[in-house]
Amino acid sequence: MEEQSRNMRSSNEQTEKMKKAREKTTKRSKEEEKEEEEEEIFNFKNKPAEEKEEEDDDLSDSEESVFSGLEDSGSDSEEDDDDDKEEDDEDAAEEGDGSDEVTVESQNNQQTEEKTKKKKGGVTGQQQKDEYEQDSSDEEDIRNTVGNIPMEWYKDFPHIGYNLDGKKIYKPIRNKDELDDFLDKMENPDYWRTVHDKQTARDVVLSDEQVDLVNRLQKGQFGDVNFNEYQPTVEFFSNDVMIHPVTNRPADKRSFIPSLIEKEKVSKLVHAIKMGWIKPRRVDDDSRGRFYDLWANEDSSILANHKMHLPAPKTPLPGHQESYNPPPEYLLTEEELAVWEQQDPSDRKFPFVPTRFSNLRQVPAYQRFIHERFERCLDLYLCPRQRKMRVNVNPEDLIPNLPKPKDLQPFPTTQSLVYRGHSGLVRSISVSPTGQWLASGSDDGSVRFWEVCSSRCMKTVQVGGAVKSVAWNPNPSVCLLAVALDSVVLVLSPSLADRQVVSSSERLLSGEQESTEEAGPVTWSDTEEEEQSQGIRLKIQHPKAVHQVVWHSKGDYLASVMPDHSSHLQVFIHQVSRRRSQNPFRKNKGLVQCVSFHPVRPYFFVATQRSVRIYNLVKQEMTKKLQANSKWISSMAVHPGGDHVICGSYDCKLSWFDLDLSTKPYKMLRHHKKAVRGVAYHRNYPLFASASDDGSVIVCHGTVFNDLLQNPLIVPVKVLRGHVITHDLGILDVTFHPTQPWVFSSGADATIRLFT
Amino acid sequence: MGGLQKKKFERGSATNYITRNRARKKLMLSLPDFRRLCILKGIYPHEPKHKKKVNKGSTAPRTFYLLKDIRFLLHEPIVGKFREYKIFVRKLKKAYGKTEWSAVERLKGNKPTYKLDHIIKERYPSFIDALRDIDDALCMCFLFSTFARTGKCHVQTIQLCKRLTVEWMNYVVAARALTKVFLSIKGIYYQAEVMGQLITWLVPYQFSHDHPTDVDYRVMATFTEFYTTLLGFVNFRLYHSLNLLYPPKLDSKAELELKEENEDDYAMNSECYIEKLSALSATLARVVSTAEEEEAQLDQFPVEGEDMERMEAREQEQRKQEVQKKLFEGLKFYLNREVPRESLAFIIRGFGGEVSWDKSAYIGSTYEVTDETITHHIVDRPNIDKQYINRYYIQPQWVYDCINSKIRLPVEDYFLGVTLPPHLSPFVEEKEGDYVPPEKMKIMALQRGEKPAQNQEDEEEEEEEEGEDEEEEEDDNEEEEEEEEEEEKAEEKNLKKMEDQRSQGKSLQVKVTPGKLKVENPARLEQEEKAEEKRLAIMMMKKKEKYLYDKIMFGKKRKVREANKLTAKRKAFDDSEKAKKKKTRK
């Protein structure tokens, strides 16, 4: 084989040489160059392989593989690359198995052989027609043998390379400068077709054909003028059945043996169908959209008797304001619109703004239509439902049926008299047991005595301090008044009665003085001349400020209250005839607000903040504790029968206790708008009154029945107004006339009013 | 007695309820599936009476379902279908992932489906139950039928909705069941009385929708799935109750008439029939083709305990309804192309009128503009060029107003270019003390058969006076109270003046002024007394009752206040209108 190829090659060479000689052109064909290179390749086989080996030693295998991978795509036309590859392969082989050169060589030989075969074809072509006759490619120019290198390398040398014979090619002596160039440009008519050849450093003037070729290549046409671009295609694979096979290969065995893989697949499918994993394609039934008479035989199923089912409420029907052309009164004004926009969407009365369109074609689509439908959907399936009883009550039926106030007369109805004279708020008033006189104590430091019927002020006593409480002695045979101010309780004898009565009261006061030595917390003392003349008879000095004084119904005992959180000295009971005082309680049970004596029995009522305690004075024990259900009791009154108590509290409530029933209030009355300050029972009539900071006195009818079965009947009968509210204080005290159905009230406006 | 200690939350209401999460776990469903099931089966949460007890002492906000409901869901065959579907989706995903297209095809062919027939039968054991609940179904189907055929939901759903709504409208037309219509800013409300049930539905205006992003279309699609099935069965039953064919067929006579036109212009052949049905211009085919069903005279059965008067009243009511059903009988309408065709055709045909439109506007027109027998031409533009003499050119609102007032209203107020009278809602039923807009009064007067007054202004004035009277009456009580207060205040003022003078140390000027005779009005006194009595009685009310009473009274007062506000607003508007008129006259 080798020999053959060599022979062939030598013959090639010979023909080439002959050709060269014959043509004597400066340019050569590609083929020629290729062949020369191939020669070199053959040389490589022996010599430069070792050199390469050394060079490539430092290259890692992976890099090589990368290289080879990249250059794999190279086609046969790129001979250089191909050769490189061969070399690489060779190297790799050598690296791989040391001295196994024979195989490598044989490989190489094979390759070269193939190539030469190709060349043969090319050569024969050339022989037929010298198509490279006019080939003027500079690349193959071998006048300069330096090869394809940048010519700058020869910049500093006088020569630019070597010719075929190994002689130096010298640069032209004189280099062209700019000026020469310019002159040349101006004068030389062939300047435009002159090309500088860097390799030979000479100017070449292109021939007409060459210029033509350049032009055509620039246009993207084929270099050959005679080449027909649009040759009819000859289809290699066509629908025509050819008599000969394309390849001469015999048919594979597998082409006539049934496929095992397919068999496996089929059997799998069969198995899957058998097992029901794959279902045969369902016949599309259109029964989904087909309707029939569903309710042909109506039977009440279980759900019908489902008691807990709550049908969804229907959407409310639209009103006039939803119309596209609503009456003008339903449109929003600007302020209303502003309010609508300010409101939270959930607070709005309508979710839309009523708008008016003058005709139907102007009505736009409603933006929130889908939203609202969606919200309805959410309501239907997400909203918890609950059955709610809607009250369908006539409000008139709710009003209790009470006896008419007209039938419950007498009771005070109109304001008839106003007692003016005080300059400060009047804290306390009291009516004499005869009903002729009225005493009042005020913050201006005076106690005034009024004639009830004429509203004349009969007497004014300056006591020198804000009067907290006044109380007229209920015993009609004496005429005494207890006054509480600061920490003193004064006993006045106003001498506004018969001489007998006055003298009897004097006698009571000047009773024995026995216990002066007992230096208790309370000291009794007579008054001096000056005060005597005013009518002040006794002074009972207390350790702390006194807020309230109360007489026992017999008129001998007197109780005083000194509210204090921290001590048990809050209540004192004084006996006037003996000038004796005692503290009935050993323990502090809370802040005492007010106290009262039972009208007939020896009981004592003490109202603390939240409750009322009832003590038996004889047995000296607590009998009852009433829970007032209010925050802070302000006042208390005991029914003349002694079985009922009312308590006013600062949280606007009035509680009525029936002592026979329970310790909880029998009735809570929330009539007042503000704190209740005073409560009072009438001594004879079934009336009670409450006074409050809202400036009203409410008179109620409260019949107490003698038989225990019937509960008291409580009916409010009159709301009396008249007092002016000053400094948020309205009426401070209220009291009934002992015999007439009249009620007195004293207020923060420094007046006392009588309602008859 | 001893015995075991009772444990908390093991009996009573705590055991009757189940939270949503526990219900979901019990059913072994994912939340979306659970929701779908709840929607289809109509299961909704219940609000327990004592939430804390049910919540086992906790106050955390939870939704509770009735345990019975959930147990009932356990046996639902659809739950199995849901699971199958889940598996199907998983398989399909797998096949896609492996790019096994044949498997994908095969799976798609065997997509699990379910039917809702049994659920509908279960939820609505009788046909009337289904009718009672059809409102939402209609609203939803009408909405879906207006959706574009792309995007938000399946085309089949939209087509089915369209078909069902068309069938429904055809039924309403055939049964003459429509009673009320209302043009609102949201859409058009219709109310029909079908088998004694009032059914109201809302149809959006014909515009493309601006689909909001915060709406879950899956929920709506599930509802629609249920509603379409329901509506289909209801339609079937309704059609058969009227001896109509279902699915609806056009009357052969009508069909022939329609066939003359070249159908190909309008729609594909498959859609042509439903389009023709939706045109609503032709009568439907009946199973038994009786020419004209004779008006069956109902026999009168006097109900015991019902006196003659009431029976007569009922009869009259029936007669009125009969008259209303034939409101447009004998009239021929022509719709211009800018008016909402579907709605108008529906209501005109629903009241016995004949209707047509431009041939190019929609399929199914029956006569041309040039037809001489047309009585009303409905136009919604300021003016029209070519006008025929023998017909009225009116705006569409006339038709709607006529239906609501149940009489043919005078057409003068509805001519082209005229400012239309307000369109009132027919659903508002004014009670005693409610505000009645003057337009409604006018219509009521027309219904009673009174002739409208010749001079409009006179009428207006009269109305105003009436209005004022009413106001006075309403305000009467309040005024009295106010007067009282004023008197008291005056007295107080006098007294105060005197007090001031006295406190200043001046002696009162002694002066005798002639006294005024205080006229006491006995009636008024009595009234006052009664008012006071009432006030005192109210004071004695129990706390609970007082609260309730206050609430009721507050509501009443608010109503009165609102009515007053509306009248005041109307009055101001009328005054300004009058002033404007005067100005223009001058």
Side-chain angles (χ1 to χ4, degrees):
Chain A
M1 291 260 288
E2 215 168 318
E3 279 178 71
Q4 273 182 3
S5 67
R6 284 220 172 146
N7 293 338
M8 282 168 66
R9 160 168 312 203
S10 58
S11 67
N12 275 351
E13 277 176 358
Q14 284 167 3
T15 48
E16 282 309 304
K17 275 172 188 170
M18 280 161 64
K19 206 168 68 183
K20 271 182 215 165
R22 195 173 60 230
E23 288 173 7
K24 291 188 177 176
T25 49
T26 49
K27 292 136 203 170
R28 294 233 186 126
S29 70
K30 252 185 188 170
E31 278 321 292
E32 289 168 327
E33 200 199 331
K34 276 177 196 163
E35 266 163 48
E36 284 195 0
E37 278 172 276
E38 256 155 50
E39 280 181 354
E40 283 172 323
I41 288 163
F42 277 99
N43 295 336
F44 272 154
K45 227 185 347 181
N46 304 323
K47 180 186 64 178
E50 278 131 39
E51 291 171 21
K52 282 267 173 179
E53 196 180 15
E54 283 169 6
E55 280 174 25
D56 290 349
D57 262 346
D58 46 1
L59 287 174
S60 67
D61 280 344
S62 65
E63 273 179 47
E64 271 181 16
S65 63
V66 167
F67 260 92
S68 62
L70 276 174
E71 289 169 1
D72 236 14
S73 58
S75 60
D76 280 8
S77 63
E78 288 174 277
E79 296 281 5
D80 286 327
D81 291 348
D82 229 351
D83 295 342
D84 287 343
K85 208 176 96 183
E86 280 164 25
E87 286 159 24
D88 285 347
D89 287 345
E90 196 181 332
D91 293 346
E94 278 181 39
E95 274 172 6
D97 34 26
S99 60
D100 198 5
E101 278 185 26
V102 185
T103 47
V104 175
E105 269 180 38
S106 65
Q107 273 180 0
N108 271 335
N109 288 343
Q110 277 181 359
Q111 282 171 7
T112 46
E113 200 179 75
E114 280 171 15
K115 273 176 192 164
T116 44
K117 268 183 194 166
K118 278 183 202 165
K119 298 293 135 54
K120 248 189 183 171
V123 170
T124 48
Q126 205 175 25
Q127 281 169 340
Q128 286 160 6
K129 192 194 164 193
D130 194 359
E131 54 180 356
Y132 301 109
E133 209 171 26
Q134 290 163 7
D135 196 351
S136 63
S137 173
D138 286 332
E139 286 170 30
E140 292 82 28
D141 187 8
I142 48 158
R143 287 168 296 174
N144 190 352
T145 56
V146 287
N148 194 10
I149 54 155
M151 296 310 290
E152 286 96 70
W153 292 353
Y154 284 93
K155 204 166 57 181
D156 301 331
F157 296 100
H159 63 280
I160 54 164
Y162 308 91
N163 59 11
L164 267 178
D165 305 329
K167 298 277 172 59
K168 280 179 183 172
I169 304 171
Y170 287 97
K171 288 179 186 172
I173 298 157
R174 189 167 154 257
N175 276 336
K176 275 184 177 174
D177 56 3
E178 295 278 320
L179 196 60
D180 288 332
D181 199 38
F182 179 73
L183 286 175
D184 211 22
K185 195 176 179 182
M186 287 295 115
E187 289 164 2
N188 191 357
D190 286 341
Y191 178 76
W192 63 275
R193 59 164 70 177
T194 316
V195 177
H196 182 73
D197 185 6
K198 269 183 191 166
Q199 274 210 320
T200 50
R202 283 189 175 78
D203 287 348
V204 182
V205 177
L206 299 182
S207 65
D208 280 348
E209 290 84 30
Q210 283 167 338
V211 169
D212 194 34
L213 179 72
V214 168
N215 278 339
R216 276 191 297 115
L217 286 178
Q218 273 175 345
K219 278 181 200 164
Q221 290 166 335
F222 282 94
D224 191 0
V225 193
N226 302 320
F227 184 74
N228 183 9
E229 296 167 43
Y230 307 107
Q231 275 169 342
T233 51
V234 179
E235 286 192 15
F236 187 72
F237 291 107
S238 68
N239 55 350
D240 299 327
V241 181
M242 290 184 283
I243 26 171
H244 300 294
V246 179
T247 59
N248 206 9
R249 245 172 66 185
D252 287 321
K253 184 183 178 186
R254 63 171 178 259
S255 67
F256 47 83
I257 287 179
S259 164
L260 272 176
I261 297 168
E262 277 175 13
K263 187 182 166 194
E264 206 172 299
K265 273 185 183 170
V266 168
S267 66
K268 256 186 192 172
L269 285 174
V270 167
H271 183 63
I273 289 170
K274 263 187 195 168
M275 299 298 285
W277 298 334
I278 296 177
K279 286 186 191 87
R281 186 158 294 142
R282 198 184 44 204
V283 183
D284 217 12
D285 59 336
D286 54 345
S287 62
R288 276 197 85 211
R290 184 160 289 171
F291 302 111
Y292 53 91
D293 195 356
L294 191 68
W295 294 279
N297 45 350
E298 291 193 1
D299 55 336
S300 51
S301 77
I302 315 150
L303 239 199
N305 307 331
H306 191 354
K307 274 178 196 151
M308 296 295 273
H309 177 63
L310 312 170
K314 295 198 168 186
T315 41
L317 292 169
H320 294 314
Q321 57 278 332
E322 213 184 301
S323 166
Y324 87 101
N325 182 12
E329 60 266 33
Y330 287 98
L331 297 173
L332 297 185
T333 58
E334 276 175 25
E335 300 98 60
E336 283 169 332
L337 192 66
V339 169
W340 188 90
E341 272 162 6
Q342 286 284 315
Q343 271 171 334
D344 191 68
S346 56
D347 295 340
R348 288 171 184 164
K349 209 172 164 198
F350 312 115
F352 55 88
V353 184
T355 14
R356 187 194 175 101
F357 300 97
S358 59
N359 35 35
L360 192 56
R361 71 166 185 279
Q362 285 173 346
V363 184
Y366 184 59
Q367 290 296 319
R368 290 188 49 78
F369 196 96
I370 296 177
H371 264 121
E372 285 185 1
R373 260 310 3 113
F374 179 61
E375 272 157 24
R376 170 76 182 166
C377 286
L378 291 188
D379 283 352
L380 282 178
Y381 90 102
L382 279 183
C383 188
R385 296 186 197 167
Q386 188 179 33
R387 205 180 283 280
K388 281 226 165 140
M389 300 307 282
R390 182 172 279 271
V391 272
N392 196 7
V393 195
N394 183 8
E396 302 302 319
D397 294 347
L398 290 174
I399 299 171
N401 206 358
L402 296 175
K404 279 188 180 173
K406 218 188 253 176
D407 306 338
L408 300 174
Q409 272 168 342
F411 53 82
T413 51
T414 47
Q415 175 184 315
S416 47
L417 284 176
V418 182
Y419 304 84
R420 290 167 209 278
H422 279 295
S423 55
L425 42 92
V426 185
R427 281 209 189 268
S428 176
I429 48 173
S430 182
V431 191
S432 74
T434 53
Q436 198 182 354
W437 310 103
L438 172 71
S440 66
S442 157
D443 266 10
D444 61 0
S446 65
V447 176
R448 281 173 190 255
F449 295 91
W450 316 80
E451 196 179 19
V452 167
C453 299
S454 61
S455 84
R456 270 185 66 184
C457 179
M458 296 299 290
K459 203 172 179 184
T460 310
V461 180
Q462 293 294 339
V463 291
V467 179
K468 287 283 178 343
S469 172
V470 293
W472 211 292
N473 193 323
N475 189 357
S477 61
V478 291
C479 173
L480 287 176
L481 184 78
V483 178
L485 68 142
D486 297 337
S487 59
V488 192
V489 172
L490 302 176
V491 180
L492 270 77
S493 171
S495 57
L496 290 168
D498 297 349
R499 191 160 294 174
Q500 257 191 339
V501 173
V502 173
S503 60
S504 74
S505 53
E506 292 291 337
R507 225 177 303 127
L508 180 70
L509 289 179
S510 58
E512 328 150 23
Q513 301 176 347
E514 45 169 57
S515 55
T516 39
E517 305 91 43
E518 283 181 36
V522 178
T523 51
W524 295 67
S525 60
D526 285 328
T527 48
E528 286 130 38
E529 285 281 312
E530 236 176 82
E531 291 171 325
Q532 285 269 348
S533 66
Q534 280 192 318
I536 304 172
R537 292 288 181 267
L538 267 180
K539 250 187 182 176
I540 310 172
Q541 188 69 41
H542 285 70
K544 278 167 286 184
V546 181
H547 272 238
Q548 196 209 4
V549 282
V550 207
W551 288 97
H552 184 252
S553 56
K554 292 278 170 54
D556 194 17
Y557 287 96
L558 180 70
S560 59
V561 180
M562 301 166 286
D564 185 6
H565 268 302
S566 51
S567 88
H568 66 284
L569 285 177
Q570 295 197 72
V571 180
F572 276 105
I573 296 182
H574 314 284
Q575 190 177 16
V576 179
S577 57
R578 287 184 164 182
R579 298 205 176 182
R580 213 170 58 177
S581 306
Q582 60 172 358
N583 174 21
F585 304 119
R586 232 170 287 128
K587 270 185 193 162
N588 171 20
K589 287 283 177 68
L591 193 66
V592 177
Q593 295 297 312
C594 49
V595 295
S596 178
F597 286 100
H598 192 281
V600 281
R601 268 175 271 170
Y603 287 137
F604 189 58
F605 297 84
V606 180
T608 53
Q609 253 188 51
R610 311 288 286 269
S611 59
V612 177
R613 289 157 204 273
I614 304 168
Y615 294 95
N616 190 332
L617 289 176
V618 176
K619 285 186 185 171
Q620 303 215 329
E621 62 180 17
M622 192 175 83
T623 52
K624 224 165 220 177
K625 187 181 168 192
L626 308 176
Q627 293 294 344
N629 281 356
S630 55
K631 293 273 153 55
W632 199 311
I633 294 172
S634 65
S635 51
M636 172 178 62
V638 184
H639 192 266
D643 279 345
H644 303 271
V645 177
I646 49 173
C647 281
S649 67
Y650 288 114
D651 49 357
C652 321
K653 287 180 199 161
L654 180 83
S655 31
W656 173 296
F657 294 97
D658 191 335
L659 298 185
D660 296 334
L661 278 178
S662 86
T663 57
K664 294 271 161 57
Y666 159 66
K667 203 132 212 182
M668 298 286 286
L669 307 175
R670 296 174 191 79
H671 298 167
H672 287 286
K673 301 276 184 310
K674 282 186 179 169
V676 176
R677 294 244 171 210
V679 288
Y681 269 116
H682 199 281
R683 208 183 279 176
N684 302 326
Y685 291 104
L687 291 175
F688 65 91
S690 57
S692 147
D693 270 348
D694 59 4
S696 68
V697 174
I698 294 179
V699 182
C700 299
H701 179 92
T703 319
V704 174
F705 299 98
N706 277 333
D707 59 334
L708 293 170
L709 290 175
Q710 211 161 356
N711 287 330
L713 169 77
I714 300 170
V715 182
V717 286
K718 190 71 192 172
V719 180
L720 300 165
R721 285 171 208 281
H723 283 280
V724 182
I725 297 167
T726 38
H727 306 300
D728 280 342
L729 291 174
I731 302 173
L732 298 175
D733 199 7
V734 64
T735 184
F736 275 103
H737 192 273
T739 50
Q740 298 294 327
W742 298 347
V743 68
F744 299 90
S745 65
S746 71
D749 56 348
T751 60
I752 303 158
R753 283 160 204 257
L754 167 66
F755 301 93
T756 55
Chain B
M1 279 295 284
L4 283 175
Q5 198 183 0
K6 272 183 198 169
K7 275 185 188 168
K8 258 181 159 183
F9 312 124
E10 285 198 344
R11 59 171 71 200
S13 53
T15 51
N16 288 341
Y17 293 92
I18 186 169
T19 62
R20 191 190 63 181
N21 243 356
R22 277 180 54 211
R24 204 176 56 72
K25 273 180 193 151
K26 186 165 187 149
L27 293 170
M28 291 191 286
L29 284 174
S30 67
L31 191 56
D33 273 346
F34 177 67
R35 281 186 176 156
R36 202 136 44 110
L37 190 66
C38 283
I39 290 169
L40 294 178
K41 293 282 283 181
I43 304 294
Y44 44 85
H46 281 253
E47 184 79 11
K49 223 170 203 175
H50 303 289
K51 203 160 185 191
K52 209 174 161 190
K53 268 187 202 165
V54 172
N55 214 349
K56 315 221 160 133
S58 151
T59 48
R62 290 208 178 92
T63 46
F64 291 99
Y65 288 84
L66 277 182
L67 190 63
K68 269 189 183 174
D69 284 352
I70 301 302
R71 285 221 188 98
F72 170 68
L73 287 183
L74 274 175
H75 308 292
E76 180 54 48
I78 277 195
V79 178
K81 289 283 180 187
F82 283 166
R83 298 204 182 104
E84 262 176 49
Y85 194 81
K86 205 170 72 182
I87 293 161
F88 160 75
V89 169
R90 207 166 54 207
K91 280 183 182 167
L92 198 67
K93 230 187 238 169
K94 200 173 175 183
Y96 266 115
K98 287 183 169 178
T99 62
E100 288 170 351
W101 305 121
S102 61
V104 167
E105 281 303 304
R106 196 190 69 234
L107 285 170
K108 271 186 178 172
N110 284 328
K111 186 178 172 181
T113 55
Y114 53 88
K115 283 163 85 174
L116 298 172
D117 306 6
H118 64 284
I119 289 183
I120 284 169
K121 181 78 204 245
E122 209 171 63
R123 279 179 70 173
Y124 308 109
S126 74
F127 178 58
I128 293 297
D129 293 334
L131 262 188
R132 220 173 271 153
D133 223 14
I134 203 97
D135 282 14
D136 287 313
L138 281 171
C139 287
M140 193 64 112
C141 287
F142 271 102
L143 171 66
F144 265 67
S145 65
T146 57
F147 278 177
R149 304 252 165 139
T150 50
K152 293 296 168 194
C153 56
H154 294 296
V155 180
Q156 291 92 332
T157 316
I158 294 168
Q159 274 169 344
L160 185 63
C161 283
K162 177 83 190 158
R163 194 190 111 195
L164 291 171
T165 52
V166 164
E167 283 168 10
W168 170 261
M169 285 201 290
N170 270 309
Y171 166 75
V172 170
V173 166
R176 297 269 173 99
L178 199 63
T179 54
K180 286 168 181 173
V181 279
F182 177 49
L183 297 168
S184 85
I185 49 174
K186 292 182 183 172
I188 305 174
Y189 285 90
Y190 299 96
Q191 192 172 57
E193 194 179 345
V194 180
M195 301 197 166
Q197 300 294 326
L198 279 180
I199 294 161
T200 318
W201 71 96
L202 172 62
V203 182
Y205 288 115
Q206 293 285 336
F207 292 106
S208 63
H209 292 281
D210 186 14
H211 287 286
T213 48
D214 51 344
V215 162
D216 190 354
Y217 279 90
R218 282 175 306 173
V219 169
M220 287 180 70
T222 314
F223 267 102
T224 314
E225 191 182 356
F226 176 74
Y227 284 152
T228 47
T229 323
L230 172 64
L231 191 56
F233 285 117
V234 167
N235 276 350
F236 185 92
R237 176 87 176 205
L238 287 176
Y239 270 68
H240 280 262
S241 71
L242 281 190
N243 274 341
L244 293 169
L245 282 175
Y246 189 90
K249 286 253 158 50
L250 292 177
D251 207 1
S252 54
K253 198 168 64 183
E255 201 164 1
L256 273 180
E257 277 173 29
L258 286 179
K259 206 149 233 174
E260 289 165 18
E261 297 153 27
N262 36 353
E263 292 161 358
D264 324 340
D265 295 356
Y266 297 105
M268 277 151 57
N269 253 342
S270 58
E271 287 180 351
C272 191
Y273 204 76
I274 192 155
E275 292 288 320
K276 262 193 265 179
L277 273 174
S278 70
L280 292 167
S281 61
T283 49
L284 297 179
R286 288 172 188 268
V287 177
V288 192
S289 57
T290 46
E292 283 295 313
E293 54 183 317
E294 63 275 14
E295 292 290 308
Q297 196 67 42
L298 285 178
D299 289 340
Q300 301 293 341
F301 294 106
V303 183
E304 257 179 67
E306 203 176 67
D307 48 358
M308 287 303 284
E309 279 179 35
R310 209 183 290 170
M311 227 167 69
E312 266 172 34
R314 217 176 44 180
E315 251 173 69
Q316 219 162 19
E317 187 76 8
Q318 264 179 0
R319 228 173 292 145
K320 246 186 204 171
Q321 274 185 1
E322 287 302 310
V323 170
Q324 198 207 347
K325 277 181 184 176
K326 292 173 180 172
L327 185 66
F328 293 141
E329 210 131 275
L331 298 188
K332 262 185 136 176
F333 289 87
Y334 189 83
L335 307 180
N336 229 19
R337 56 170 61 248
E338 69 274 5
V339 299
R341 189 207 63 81
E342 193 180 67
S343 164
L344 276 168
F346 173 52
I347 60 173
I348 289 169
R349 294 267 301 126
F351 287 91
E354 278 182 78
V355 66
S356 180
W357 46 85
D358 195 285
K359 207 167 55 177
S360 62
Y362 202 78
I363 197 169
S365 68
T366 43
Y367 44 86
E368 299 278 311
V369 209
T370 49
D371 195 336
E372 291 289 315
T373 54
I374 290 172
T375 55
H376 291 78
H377 192 138
I378 300 176
V379 184
D380 196 5
R381 51 177 80 174
N383 52 10
I384 194 165
D385 295 335
K386 197 183 171 195
Q387 295 201 357
Y388 295 83
I389 296 170
N390 57 350
R391 62 176 80 159
Y392 293 120
Y393 285 85
I394 47 170
Q395 300 196 34
Q397 198 191 317
W398 182 79
V399 184
Y400 296 92
D401 280 354
C402 281
I403 289 165
N404 290 339
S405 58
K406 298 173 186 173
I407 44 166
R408 283 185 208 165
L409 291 172
V411 286
E412 289 84 15
D413 296 342
Y414 299 90
F415 281 155
L416 303 192
V418 168
T419 312
L420 289 167
H423 181 61
L424 298 173
S425 165
F427 303 112
V428 180
E429 273 162 19
E430 278 90 359
K431 276 178 235 143
E432 186 92 15
D434 283 353
Y435 172 72
V436 185
E439 286 81 13
K440 182 125 188 179
M441 310 270 260
K442 224 190 269 180
I443 288 172
M444 272 149 68
L446 279 171
Q447 278 171 338
R448 281 194 298 269
E450 293 164 19
K451 287 274 172 199
Q454 295 283 332
N455 202 338
Q456 264 202 331
E457 278 180 28
D458 286 353
E459 198 184 336
E460 273 174 26
E461 274 163 29
E462 271 171 35
E463 268 170 25
E464 269 166 34
E465 276 163 25
E466 274 173 32
E468 276 163 25
D469 284 348
E470 272 173 27
E471 268 176 59
E472 272 171 27
E473 274 169 32
E474 278 163 6
D475 291 347
D476 231 11
N477 282 328
E478 287 171 22
E479 272 172 29
E480 272 172 29
E481 280 171 24
E482 277 169 26
E483 271 174 40
E484 256 176 49
E485 276 174 23
E486 274 170 27
E487 271 174 33
E488 273 176 22
K489 270 182 197 167
E491 222 170 282
E492 195 68 31
K493 228 181 231 173
N494 266 346
L495 278 175
K496 196 141 200 206
K497 218 185 257 172
M498 278 159 70
E499 271 173 37
D500 285 348
Q501 278 172 344
R502 200 187 265 181
S503 63
Q504 278 165 11
K506 286 178 199 165
S507 57
L508 279 175
Q509 289 167 329
V510 182
K511 201 177 165 189
V512 180
T513 46
K516 271 183 206 166
L517 186 70
K518 208 175 177 185
V519 185
E520 285 196 346
N521 188 352
R524 170 124 199 206
L525 266 178
E526 201 177 319
Q527 225 177 21
E528 266 175 44
E529 216 167 80
K530 262 193 184 158
E532 200 186 346
E533 248 176 57
K534 198 174 157 188
R535 234 178 295 147
L536 290 170
I538 287 169
M539 289 202 312
M540 277 310 283
M541 276 163 104
K542 279 173 197 160
K543 199 174 170 188
K544 247 185 189 170
E545 288 175 353
K546 180 81 188 301
Y547 177 72
L548 183 61
Y549 180 82
D550 282 349
K551 232 174 154 180
I552 295 173
M553 291 321 270
F554 176 77
K556 278 191 169 176
K557 268 182 195 159
R558 190 179 49 192
K559 233 181 204 174
V560 170
R561 220 185 310 132
E562 270 166 18
N564 286 345
K565 200 175 155 194
L566 284 175
T567 34
K569 250 172 137 181
R570 178 67 184 207
K571 207 182 166 197
F573 177 79
D574 283 347
D575 286 349
S576 69
E577 285 292 296
K578 228 178 235 178
K580 254 186 225 168
K581 241 186 225 173
K582 267 182 193 169
K583 250 184 205 172
T584 48
R585 249 180 233 173
K586 278 170 191 175

